[in-house]
Amino acid sequence: CEKKRCVPFRKFNGTCGRTAQAKEFKTTQGRWPVKSAKVILNLLKNAEGNAEFKNLDTDNLRIQHIQVNPAQQGRRRTYRAHGRIGPYMSCPCHVEMILQEKEEAVEKPDEETKPKKFTKKQLAKRRLRVGGDK
């Protein structure tokens, strides 16, 4: 596990430690989330396999959209002192990722500009504006 570049924590950073590497992102708090990074890398490999199956060029793929939403929590129980039971919740999430092929830049051909068409009402307003100082 090489800690080359930290991930800045801007939200939910109450108990997150500080690191000098976070200065790059103009914040002080950051971590190196190994477990989350492995999940995202596996998701990217899966998306690359799906793209190959759909005959897309995997070298030209880029992430167009990525979003993480909370999923329904799993409920288990933990046994406490004096015969009590406490909740033991898990916090799973849904990761949504959309990949798209890079589009090559195509020059737009020069189009002839059409003269603007005005209605009778617009022409009358223009005439009033021009000769309105009488």
Side-chain angles (χ1 to χ4, degrees):
C1 171
E2 296 178 29
K3 297 183 177 180
K4 289 185 178 178
R5 196 171 178 199
C6 79
V7 175
F9 276 47
R10 293 188 177 94
K11 206 172 187 182
F12 310 117
N13 57 355
T15 58
C16 183
R18 295 179 294 196
T19 178
Q21 288 184 11
K23 289 180 187 174
E24 178 185 354
F25 306 102
K26 296 196 173 32
T27 184
T28 58
Q29 294 171 305
R31 283 186 178 170
W32 300 267
V34 176
K35 192 173 179 182
S36 303
K38 281 183 184 175
V39 171
I40 297 295
L41 283 174
N42 286 338
L43 195 65
L44 279 170
K45 287 178 186 172
N46 189 4
E48 186 179 8
N50 292 344
E52 283 180 13
F53 181 75
K54 292 183 176 183
N55 297 325
L56 297 174
D57 184 15
T58 55
D59 295 332
N60 270 345
L61 285 179
R62 68 179 193 84
I63 298 174
Q64 180 191 5
H65 172 80
I66 186 165
Q67 179 176 336
V68 181
N69 295 320
Q72 185 177 8
Q73 290 190 335
R75 295 185 65 93
R76 291 189 288 171
R77 55 173 62 169
T78 185
Y79 298 97
R80 311 300 301 264
H82 307 294
R84 293 177 300 130
I85 292 177
Y88 196 72
M89 310 286 280
S90 66
C91 298
C93 63
H94 297 300
V95 181
E96 180 180 301
M97 186 183 297
I98 298 174
L99 302 179
Q100 188 179 29
E101 280 187 311
K102 268 188 193 172
E103 296 178 3
E104 295 179 12
V106 179
E107 292 184 20
K108 198 172 188 181
D110 295 330
E111 294 181 14
E112 297 176 13
T113 56
K114 297 177 184 176
K116 291 186 178 179
K117 295 182 180 180
F118 296 104
T119 62
K120 290 181 183 178
K121 192 173 185 178
Q122 289 172 332
L123 290 172
K125 279 187 179 179
R126 282 185 169 219
R127 273 188 243 121
L128 276 176
R129 264 192 246 137
V130 172
D133 57 4
K134 292 183 183 178

